[in-house]
Amino acid sequence: MAERRVLVVDDEVGILEVCRDILRKIPSVEVVTETDGREAAERISAESFDLLITDIRLPGMNGIELLRLAKEAEPNLSVLVFTAFPTVDTAVEALKVGAADYVIKPFQPDELQAIAERLLDEKRLRVEHSLLQRQVERDYRFDEIIGSSAPMKEIFDTINRVADTEADVLITGETGVGKELVARSIHKRSRRSGARFVPVDCAAIPENLMESQFFGHEKGAFTGADTQMIGLLEFADGGTFFLDEVAELPVSLQAKLLRALQERTFRRVGGKKEIKVDIRVLVATRTDLMAAMRAGSFREDLYYRVNVVHLEVPPLRERRSDIPLLVTHFVERYAQEMGRSEPRIDAECLDVLSRAPWAGNVRELQNVVKRTLVLARDDQISVDDLPDEVVVKAGEASAPEGFFQLRSERMDSFEREYFTDLLRRFEGDVSSAAKHAQLPRGTFYRLLKKHVLTPEDFR
């Protein structure tokens, strides 16, 4: 039996035969045809289809009503509408009811095949996304790290192998890749998991306070030292000491830290007593430490001391297959935090997110998803809900002649025609036009700006 089923509904037998010949060129597709809208509706209620292609004008039941019933029966069903009498209102009505696209008769065979293949692929993506929503926490979660790509599986394997040892670990990677999550995972899986995990952001501590922050100080050690204070190393005794952005440490402190790490002993500032600590050391940096050593800003002996095991976390652009998993995870997480129902992410939106460059890696993706969820008005997140800069960068990353570029050009043409017609009909009255389009005024103005349309020109 074919993997994917397509139902074509048209009262012209010749059109049905042409469609059957075209669609059968798509691998693993079964084509079913009907000439009556009511009979097609009965068939949809009794059988399962991946794509419905229907004419607007049909005997028994028109295509818009058939479309409405079909989407009620199967919300994930992709629908393509034929029309020989194209008008803006007809197209908009079909799209509002749930059509994914429309084709004007007569059509080119290649055009129909390309659109049908794309809609079938989108249906598959929606089904896969639904599966991801149910499986992400169970199958693709490693502590707080999300991923199933080959690079991340290597990371998980390394974490498992080093966690139960006492080896110090150097974690490298670009900003936002999740270096601290990796460190926390190592701690959680180690014998020290019941003790403290003490993270220190070396870039956030003023240089004149670093020594006392790390080693503590005795009362009277310097002006303002009114009481004795233990340092972060002492606080981490028995647990894991995590130095984030270790390359930001001044060279003068690196020497003192090196001795403390080698001997696991140190003196508080102003103190004489040696304090012994039992700690495991994990360090992270986005800086090329080899280059820093050549420049003299990072000690070579400290590098070899902390680099017992080197674990490099890949940037998001090198594990794009993890993006849908991460998006699903963040949507679920933030929807729960906001006390709202979890929205569905349409296939095109997920594809745009998967193609964006993500210079800020997982952290940037996380922030974009949260922002999109805060501003989204509907229970479905589409490309229109994404920040413009994300959509633009994703488009720039695509081949100029690719599908999404061509689709974008088609959609731009349709949008411009639609909004031009609205402004003309309502004589430049934006409030009335936006109300008719069922769009927020802010979105309406944004789209007018996008297409360089000025309401005053229509008054």
Side-chain angles (χ1 to χ4, degrees), residues 271-328:
K272 298 179 180 179
K273 178 184 175 183
E274 289 281 348
I275 298 172
K276 203 167 180 60
V277 289
D278 172 25
I279 57 172
R280 183 184 191 174
V281 179
L282 308 177
V283 302
T285 183
R286 62 185 171 183
T287 302
D288 181 346
L289 292 184
M290 298 299 289
M293 285 190 292
R294 288 193 294 271
S297 61
F298 198 81
R299 292 178 62 101
E300 185 175 352
D301 47 7
L302 179 58
Y303 171 79
Y304 290 114
R305 181 66 188 81
V306 298
N307 188 22
V308 178
V309 176
H310 182 195
L311 208 161
E312 184 170 4
V313 185
L316 196 51
R317 63 182 174 274
E318 293 180 8
R319 54 181 187 107
R320 292 188 181 276
S321 62
D322 289 333
I323 292 177
L325 296 167
L326 289 160
V327 171
T328 300

Short mmCIF file of all heavy atoms in Angstrom, two decimals, residues 271-328:
data_model
loop_
_atom_site.label_atom_id
_atom_site.label_comp_id
_atom_site.label_asym_id
_atom_site.label_seq_id
_atom_site.Cartn_x
_atom_site.Cartn_y
_atom_site.Cartn_z
N GLY A 271 46.23 35.73 55.44
CA GLY A 271 46.34 34.60 56.35
C GLY A 271 47.65 33.85 56.21
O GLY A 271 48.36 33.99 55.21
N LYS A 272 47.99 33.05 57.19
CA LYS A 272 49.21 32.25 57.18
C LYS A 272 48.91 30.76 57.13
O LYS A 272 49.75 29.96 56.76
CB LYS A 272 50.05 32.56 58.42
CG LYS A 272 50.51 34.01 58.48
CD LYS A 272 51.33 34.28 59.74
CE LYS A 272 51.81 35.73 59.80
NZ LYS A 272 52.59 36.01 61.03
N LYS A 273 47.71 30.39 57.52
CA LYS A 273 47.36 28.98 57.60
C LYS A 273 47.02 28.42 56.22
O LYS A 273 46.30 29.01 55.44
CB LYS A 273 46.16 28.82 58.53
CG LYS A 273 45.66 27.40 58.67
CD LYS A 273 44.40 27.37 59.54
CE LYS A 273 43.82 25.96 59.58
NZ LYS A 273 42.54 25.94 60.36
N GLU A 274 47.58 27.23 55.92
CA GLU A 274 47.25 26.52 54.68
C GLU A 274 45.89 25.84 54.85
O GLU A 274 45.68 25.10 55.80
CB GLU A 274 48.32 25.48 54.36
CG GLU A 274 49.65 26.07 53.92
CD GLU A 274 49.64 26.51 52.46
OE1 GLU A 274 48.68 26.15 51.74
OE2 GLU A 274 50.57 27.22 52.06
N ILE A 275 45.01 26.09 53.92
CA ILE A 275 43.67 25.48 53.95
C ILE A 275 43.59 24.43 52.86
O ILE A 275 43.87 24.71 51.69
CB ILE A 275 42.58 26.55 53.76
CG1 ILE A 275 42.64 27.57 54.90
CG2 ILE A 275 41.19 25.92 53.68
CD1 ILE A 275 41.74 28.76 54.70
N LYS A 276 43.24 23.23 53.24
CA LYS A 276 43.19 22.12 52.29
C LYS A 276 41.75 21.94 51.81
O LYS A 276 40.81 22.02 52.60
CB LYS A 276 43.67 20.84 52.98
CG LYS A 276 44.19 19.78 52.03
CD LYS A 276 44.92 18.71 52.82
CE LYS A 276 45.47 17.64 51.91
NZ LYS A 276 46.42 18.14 50.93
N VAL A 277 41.58 21.74 50.53
CA VAL A 277 40.23 21.52 49.97
C VAL A 277 40.23 20.28 49.08
O VAL A 277 41.24 19.93 48.47
CB VAL A 277 39.73 22.74 49.15
CG1 VAL A 277 39.40 23.91 50.04
CG2 VAL A 277 40.72 23.12 48.07
N ASP A 278 39.07 19.64 49.03
CA ASP A 278 38.85 18.48 48.16
C ASP A 278 37.84 18.91 47.10
O ASP A 278 36.64 18.96 47.36
CB ASP A 278 38.33 17.31 48.98
CG ASP A 278 37.88 16.14 48.09
OD1 ASP A 278 38.40 16.03 46.97
OD2 ASP A 278 36.99 15.37 48.52
N ILE A 279 38.34 19.28 45.93
CA ILE A 279 37.44 19.76 44.87
C ILE A 279 37.78 19.10 43.54
O ILE A 279 38.90 18.64 43.32
CB ILE A 279 37.55 21.29 44.69
CG1 ILE A 279 39.00 21.70 44.40
CG2 ILE A 279 36.98 22.03 45.90
CD1 ILE A 279 39.15 23.16 44.03
N ARG A 280 36.79 19.07 42.69
CA ARG A 280 37.03 18.73 41.29
C ARG A 280 36.89 20.01 40.49
O ARG A 280 35.98 20.81 40.73
CB ARG A 280 36.01 17.71 40.79
CG ARG A 280 36.32 17.29 39.35
CD ARG A 280 35.30 16.37 38.78
NE ARG A 280 35.76 15.79 37.53
CZ ARG A 280 35.09 14.85 36.88
NH1 ARG A 280 33.96 14.37 37.37
NH2 ARG A 280 35.56 14.38 35.74
N VAL A 281 37.76 20.21 39.53
CA VAL A 281 37.79 21.47 38.77
C VAL A 281 37.33 21.25 37.34
O VAL A 281 37.85 20.37 36.62
CB VAL A 281 39.20 22.09 38.78
CG1 VAL A 281 39.21 23.39 37.97
CG2 VAL A 281 39.64 22.35 40.21
N LEU A 282 36.34 22.04 36.93
CA LEU A 282 35.89 22.09 35.54
C LEU A 282 36.04 23.53 35.08
O LEU A 282 35.68 24.46 35.82
CB LEU A 282 34.42 21.67 35.42
CG LEU A 282 34.00 20.34 36.04
CD1 LEU A 282 32.49 20.14 35.89
CD2 LEU A 282 34.75 19.18 35.41
N VAL A 283 36.59 23.74 33.90
CA VAL A 283 36.74 25.11 33.39
C VAL A 283 36.15 25.19 31.99
O VAL A 283 36.09 24.19 31.27
CB VAL A 283 38.23 25.56 33.36
CG1 VAL A 283 38.83 25.49 34.75
CG2 VAL A 283 39.04 24.75 32.38
N ALA A 284 35.73 26.39 31.63
CA ALA A 284 35.14 26.59 30.30
C ALA A 284 35.63 27.91 29.73
O ALA A 284 35.96 28.84 30.47
CB ALA A 284 33.61 26.59 30.39
N THR A 285 35.67 27.97 28.41
CA THR A 285 36.06 29.22 27.75
C THR A 285 35.59 29.21 26.30
O THR A 285 35.47 28.16 25.67
CB THR A 285 37.58 29.42 27.79
OG1 THR A 285 37.90 30.69 27.20
CG2 THR A 285 38.32 28.32 27.03
N ARG A 286 35.32 30.40 25.80
CA ARG A 286 35.03 30.58 24.37
C ARG A 286 36.30 31.02 23.63
O ARG A 286 36.32 31.12 22.41
CB ARG A 286 33.96 31.65 24.20
CG ARG A 286 34.40 33.01 24.71
CD ARG A 286 33.29 34.04 24.66
NE ARG A 286 33.72 35.25 25.36
CZ ARG A 286 32.95 36.30 25.53
NH1 ARG A 286 31.72 36.29 25.08
NH2 ARG A 286 33.40 37.37 26.17
N THR A 287 37.36 31.31 24.39
CA THR A 287 38.61 31.83 23.83
C THR A 287 39.51 30.70 23.34
O THR A 287 39.55 29.62 23.92
CB THR A 287 39.36 32.65 24.91
OG1 THR A 287 38.52 33.70 25.35
CG2 THR A 287 40.65 33.22 24.36
N ASP A 288 40.24 30.96 22.27
CA ASP A 288 41.26 30.03 21.78
C ASP A 288 42.45 30.13 22.74
O ASP A 288 43.24 31.08 22.67
CB ASP A 288 41.67 30.41 20.36
CG ASP A 288 42.71 29.46 19.78
OD1 ASP A 288 43.30 28.66 20.54
OD2 ASP A 288 42.93 29.51 18.55
N LEU A 289 42.58 29.16 23.64
CA LEU A 289 43.63 29.23 24.66
C LEU A 289 45.03 29.09 24.07
O LEU A 289 46.00 29.64 24.62
CB LEU A 289 43.40 28.18 25.74
CG LEU A 289 42.15 28.40 26.62
CD1 LEU A 289 42.09 27.34 27.71
CD2 LEU A 289 42.17 29.80 27.25
N MET A 290 45.16 28.36 22.97
CA MET A 290 46.48 28.25 22.34
C MET A 290 46.93 29.63 21.85
O MET A 290 48.10 30.02 22.03
CB MET A 290 46.43 27.26 21.17
CG MET A 290 46.07 25.83 21.57
SD MET A 290 47.26 25.09 22.72
CE MET A 290 48.65 24.86 21.62
N ALA A 291 46.00 30.38 21.25
CA ALA A 291 46.33 31.74 20.80
C ALA A 291 46.61 32.64 21.99
O ALA A 291 47.51 33.49 21.95
CB ALA A 291 45.19 32.30 19.96
N ALA A 292 45.83 32.46 23.07
CA ALA A 292 46.06 33.27 24.28
C ALA A 292 47.42 32.98 24.89
O ALA A 292 48.10 33.89 25.39
CB ALA A 292 44.95 32.98 25.30
N MET A 293 47.87 31.73 24.83
CA MET A 293 49.21 31.40 25.35
C MET A 293 50.29 32.05 24.51
O MET A 293 51.26 32.59 25.04
CB MET A 293 49.39 29.88 25.38
CG MET A 293 48.64 29.19 26.51
SD MET A 293 49.12 27.46 26.70
CE MET A 293 48.44 26.74 25.21
N ARG A 294 50.10 32.03 23.19
CA ARG A 294 51.09 32.67 22.31
C ARG A 294 51.15 34.18 22.55
O ARG A 294 52.21 34.80 22.45
CB ARG A 294 50.75 32.39 20.84
CG ARG A 294 51.00 30.95 20.41
CD ARG A 294 50.96 30.81 18.90
NE ARG A 294 49.63 31.08 18.38
CZ ARG A 294 48.68 30.16 18.22
NH1 ARG A 294 48.93 28.89 18.56
NH2 ARG A 294 47.51 30.48 17.72
N ALA A 295 49.99 34.76 22.91
CA ALA A 295 49.94 36.19 23.18
C ALA A 295 50.41 36.54 24.59
O ALA A 295 50.55 37.72 24.92
CB ALA A 295 48.51 36.70 22.97
N GLY A 296 50.62 35.52 25.41
CA GLY A 296 51.09 35.76 26.76
C GLY A 296 50.02 36.10 27.77
O GLY A 296 50.33 36.50 28.90
N SER A 297 48.75 35.95 27.39
CA SER A 297 47.66 36.30 28.31
C SER A 297 47.13 35.08 29.07
O SER A 297 46.25 35.23 29.93
CB SER A 297 46.52 36.96 27.54
OG SER A 297 45.98 36.08 26.55
N PHE A 298 47.65 33.89 28.75
CA PHE A 298 47.22 32.70 29.49
C PHE A 298 48.43 31.79 29.71
O PHE A 298 49.20 31.52 28.77
CB PHE A 298 46.13 31.93 28.74
CG PHE A 298 45.37 30.97 29.62
CD1 PHE A 298 44.35 31.42 30.45
CD2 PHE A 298 45.68 29.61 29.65
CE1 PHE A 298 43.64 30.56 31.27
CE2 PHE A 298 44.99 28.74 30.46
CZ PHE A 298 43.97 29.21 31.29
N ARG A 299 48.62 31.35 30.95
CA ARG A 299 49.81 30.58 31.31
C ARG A 299 49.74 29.17 30.70
O ARG A 299 48.71 28.48 30.78
CB ARG A 299 49.92 30.46 32.82
CG ARG A 299 50.24 31.77 33.52
CD ARG A 299 50.27 31.54 35.02
NE ARG A 299 51.33 30.59 35.39
CZ ARG A 299 52.51 30.93 35.88
NH1 ARG A 299 52.80 32.22 36.07
NH2 ARG A 299 53.40 30.02 36.22
N GLU A 300 50.85 28.77 30.14
CA GLU A 300 50.93 27.44 29.54
C GLU A 300 50.77 26.34 30.57
O GLU A 300 50.08 25.34 30.33
CB GLU A 300 52.27 27.29 28.80
CG GLU A 300 52.40 25.98 28.04
CD GLU A 300 53.68 25.92 27.23
OE1 GLU A 300 54.38 26.95 27.14
OE2 GLU A 300 53.99 24.83 26.69
N ASP A 301 51.38 26.50 31.75
CA ASP A 301 51.30 25.46 32.77
C ASP A 301 49.87 25.33 33.31
O ASP A 301 49.42 24.23 33.64
CB ASP A 301 52.30 25.71 33.90
CG ASP A 301 52.30 27.15 34.40
OD1 ASP A 301 51.43 27.94 33.97
OD2 ASP A 301 53.17 27.49 35.23
N LEU A 302 49.14 26.43 33.38
CA LEU A 302 47.74 26.36 33.82
C LEU A 302 46.90 25.65 32.77
O LEU A 302 46.01 24.85 33.10
CB LEU A 302 47.20 27.76 34.09
CG LEU A 302 45.72 27.83 34.54
CD1 LEU A 302 45.49 27.01 35.80
CD2 LEU A 302 45.29 29.28 34.75
N TYR A 303 47.19 25.92 31.51
CA TYR A 303 46.46 25.26 30.42
C TYR A 303 46.59 23.75 30.53
O TYR A 303 45.59 23.02 30.47
CB TYR A 303 46.98 25.75 29.07
CG TYR A 303 46.43 24.97 27.89
CD1 TYR A 303 45.16 25.21 27.40
CD2 TYR A 303 47.20 23.97 27.28
CE1 TYR A 303 44.65 24.50 26.33
CE2 TYR A 303 46.70 23.25 26.20
CZ TYR A 303 45.42 23.51 25.72
OH TYR A 303 44.92 22.80 24.68
N TYR A 304 47.81 23.25 30.68
CA TYR A 304 48.01 21.80 30.75
C TYR A 304 47.47 21.20 32.05
O TYR A 304 47.14 20.02 32.10
CB TYR A 304 49.48 21.46 30.54
CG TYR A 304 49.92 21.72 29.12
CD1 TYR A 304 50.85 22.72 28.83
CD2 TYR A 304 49.38 20.99 28.07
CE1 TYR A 304 51.23 22.97 27.52
CE2 TYR A 304 49.75 21.24 26.75
CZ TYR A 304 50.68 22.23 26.49
OH TYR A 304 51.04 22.48 25.18
N ARG A 305 47.35 22.05 33.08
CA ARG A 305 46.80 21.55 34.34
C ARG A 305 45.30 21.31 34.23
O ARG A 305 44.78 20.32 34.73
CB ARG A 305 47.08 22.58 35.47
CG ARG A 305 46.55 22.12 36.83
CD ARG A 305 47.31 20.89 37.30
NE ARG A 305 46.76 20.28 38.49
CZ ARG A 305 45.72 19.45 38.51
NH1 ARG A 305 45.10 19.12 37.38
NH2 ARG A 305 45.31 18.92 39.63
N VAL A 306 44.58 22.23 33.58
CA VAL A 306 43.11 22.08 33.50
C VAL A 306 42.68 21.24 32.30
O VAL A 306 41.56 20.73 32.27
CB VAL A 306 42.42 23.46 33.44
CG1 VAL A 306 42.70 24.26 34.70
CG2 VAL A 306 42.80 24.24 32.19
N ASN A 307 43.55 21.08 31.33
CA ASN A 307 43.19 20.36 30.11
C ASN A 307 43.54 18.88 30.21
O ASN A 307 44.24 18.32 29.37
CB ASN A 307 43.88 21.00 28.90
CG ASN A 307 43.37 20.42 27.58
OD1 ASN A 307 42.28 19.87 27.52
ND2 ASN A 307 44.18 20.55 26.54
N VAL A 308 43.04 18.22 31.26
CA VAL A 308 43.23 16.77 31.37
C VAL A 308 42.32 16.08 30.36
O VAL A 308 42.73 15.18 29.63
CB VAL A 308 42.91 16.30 32.80
CG1 VAL A 308 43.05 14.78 32.90
CG2 VAL A 308 43.82 17.00 33.80
N VAL A 309 41.07 16.51 30.30
CA VAL A 309 40.11 16.04 29.29
C VAL A 309 39.56 17.28 28.61
O VAL A 309 39.14 18.23 29.27
CB VAL A 309 38.96 15.24 29.92
CG1 VAL A 309 37.94 14.86 28.85
CG2 VAL A 309 39.49 13.99 30.61
N HIS A 310 39.58 17.29 27.29
CA HIS A 310 39.06 18.43 26.52
C HIS A 310 37.74 18.03 25.88
O HIS A 310 37.66 17.04 25.17
CB HIS A 310 40.06 18.85 25.45
CG HIS A 310 39.61 20.05 24.66
ND1 HIS A 310 40.18 20.41 23.47
CD2 HIS A 310 38.63 20.96 24.89
CE1 HIS A 310 39.60 21.49 23.00
NE2 HIS A 310 38.65 21.83 23.85
N LEU A 311 36.71 18.82 26.13
CA LEU A 311 35.39 18.55 25.59
C LEU A 311 34.91 19.80 24.85
O LEU A 311 34.69 20.84 25.47
CB LEU A 311 34.43 18.21 26.74
CG LEU A 311 33.25 17.29 26.46
CD1 LEU A 311 32.72 16.72 27.76
CD2 LEU A 311 32.17 18.01 25.72
N GLU A 312 34.80 19.71 23.53
CA GLU A 312 34.38 20.87 22.73
C GLU A 312 32.91 20.73 22.35
O GLU A 312 32.51 19.76 21.69
CB GLU A 312 35.23 21.01 21.47
CG GLU A 312 34.89 22.26 20.68
CD GLU A 312 35.88 22.55 19.57
OE1 GLU A 312 36.81 21.72 19.37
OE2 GLU A 312 35.73 23.58 18.90
N VAL A 313 32.10 21.71 22.74
CA VAL A 313 30.66 21.69 22.45
C VAL A 313 30.44 22.33 21.08
O VAL A 313 30.84 23.48 20.86
CB VAL A 313 29.87 22.45 23.53
CG1 VAL A 313 28.36 22.31 23.28
CG2 VAL A 313 30.22 21.93 24.92
N PRO A 314 29.79 21.64 20.13
CA PRO A 314 29.64 22.18 18.78
C PRO A 314 28.63 23.32 18.73
O PRO A 314 27.68 23.35 19.51
CB PRO A 314 29.14 20.97 17.98
CG PRO A 314 28.42 20.13 18.99
CD PRO A 314 29.20 20.29 20.26
N PRO A 315 28.82 24.27 17.81
CA PRO A 315 27.83 25.34 17.62
C PRO A 315 26.55 24.78 17.02
O PRO A 315 26.55 23.69 16.42
CB PRO A 315 28.53 26.30 16.65
CG PRO A 315 29.52 25.45 15.91
CD PRO A 315 29.97 24.41 16.89
N LEU A 316 25.48 25.51 17.15
CA LEU A 316 24.17 25.02 16.70
C LEU A 316 24.13 24.80 15.19
O LEU A 316 23.43 23.90 14.71
CB LEU A 316 23.09 26.03 17.11
CG LEU A 316 21.63 25.56 17.07
CD1 LEU A 316 21.44 24.25 17.83
CD2 LEU A 316 20.71 26.64 17.62
N ARG A 317 24.89 25.59 14.43
CA ARG A 317 24.89 25.44 12.97
C ARG A 317 25.47 24.09 12.53
O ARG A 317 25.26 23.67 11.40
CB ARG A 317 25.66 26.58 12.32
CG ARG A 317 27.13 26.63 12.68
CD ARG A 317 27.86 27.81 12.06
NE ARG A 317 29.23 27.90 12.54
CZ ARG A 317 29.57 28.53 13.65
NH1 ARG A 317 28.65 29.11 14.39
NH2 ARG A 317 30.85 28.58 14.03
N GLU A 318 26.22 23.43 13.43
CA GLU A 318 26.80 22.13 13.10
C GLU A 318 25.94 20.97 13.60
O GLU A 318 26.32 19.81 13.46
CB GLU A 318 28.21 22.02 13.68
CG GLU A 318 29.20 22.98 13.04
CD GLU A 318 30.59 22.87 13.63
OE1 GLU A 318 30.82 21.93 14.44
OE2 GLU A 318 31.45 23.71 13.29
N ARG A 319 24.79 21.29 14.19
CA ARG A 319 23.87 20.24 14.62
C ARG A 319 22.42 20.70 14.43
O ARG A 319 21.61 20.72 15.33
CB ARG A 319 24.14 19.86 16.08
CG ARG A 319 24.12 21.01 17.09
CD ARG A 319 24.44 20.47 18.47
NE ARG A 319 24.30 21.43 19.53
CZ ARG A 319 23.31 21.44 20.43
NH1 ARG A 319 22.34 20.54 20.35
NH2 ARG A 319 23.27 22.32 21.40
N ARG A 320 22.12 21.11 13.19
CA ARG A 320 20.82 21.69 12.86
C ARG A 320 19.67 20.71 13.10
O ARG A 320 18.53 21.13 13.33
CB ARG A 320 20.79 22.18 11.42
CG ARG A 320 21.69 23.39 11.19
CD ARG A 320 21.50 23.99 9.81
NE ARG A 320 22.40 25.12 9.64
CZ ARG A 320 22.14 26.35 10.06
NH1 ARG A 320 21.01 26.60 10.69
NH2 ARG A 320 23.01 27.32 9.88
N SER A 321 19.95 19.41 13.04
CA SER A 321 18.88 18.44 13.27
C SER A 321 18.34 18.51 14.70
O SER A 321 17.25 18.00 14.99
CB SER A 321 19.36 17.03 12.97
OG SER A 321 20.44 16.66 13.82
N ASP A 322 19.09 19.15 15.61
CA ASP A 322 18.63 19.30 16.99
C ASP A 322 17.69 20.49 17.18
O ASP A 322 17.04 20.61 18.22
CB ASP A 322 19.83 19.49 17.94
CG ASP A 322 20.64 18.22 18.11
OD1 ASP A 322 20.07 17.13 17.96
OD2 ASP A 322 21.85 18.33 18.39
N ILE A 323 17.62 21.38 16.18
CA ILE A 323 16.82 22.60 16.34
C ILE A 323 15.35 22.31 16.59
O ILE A 323 14.75 22.90 17.50
CB ILE A 323 17.04 23.55 15.15
CG1 ILE A 323 18.49 24.10 15.19
CG2 ILE A 323 16.04 24.70 15.16
CD1 ILE A 323 18.86 24.98 14.02
N PRO A 324 14.69 21.41 15.80
CA PRO A 324 13.28 21.12 16.12
C PRO A 324 13.08 20.60 17.54
O PRO A 324 12.09 20.94 18.20
CB PRO A 324 12.91 20.05 15.08
CG PRO A 324 13.84 20.30 13.94
CD PRO A 324 15.13 20.72 14.58
N LEU A 325 14.01 19.78 18.03
CA LEU A 325 13.92 19.28 19.40
C LEU A 325 14.02 20.42 20.40
O LEU A 325 13.26 20.49 21.37
CB LEU A 325 15.04 18.27 19.67
CG LEU A 325 15.04 16.98 18.86
CD1 LEU A 325 16.37 16.26 19.03
CD2 LEU A 325 13.90 16.08 19.30
N LEU A 326 14.97 21.32 20.18
CA LEU A 326 15.15 22.45 21.08
C LEU A 326 13.95 23.38 21.06
O LEU A 326 13.48 23.85 22.11
CB LEU A 326 16.42 23.22 20.69
CG LEU A 326 17.74 22.51 20.99
CD1 LEU A 326 18.88 23.10 20.16
CD2 LEU A 326 18.08 22.62 22.48
N VAL A 327 13.42 23.64 19.86
CA VAL A 327 12.25 24.51 19.75
C VAL A 327 11.06 23.91 20.50
O VAL A 327 10.37 24.59 21.27
CB VAL A 327 11.88 24.74 18.27
CG1 VAL A 327 10.54 25.46 18.14
CG2 VAL A 327 12.97 25.55 17.57
N THR A 328 10.84 22.62 20.30
CA THR A 328 9.74 21.94 20.99
C THR A 328 9.91 22.03 22.50
O THR A 328 8.95 22.30 23.24
CB THR A 328 9.69 20.46 20.56
OG1 THR A 328 9.47 20.38 19.15
CG2 THR A 328 8.56 19.72 21.27
#
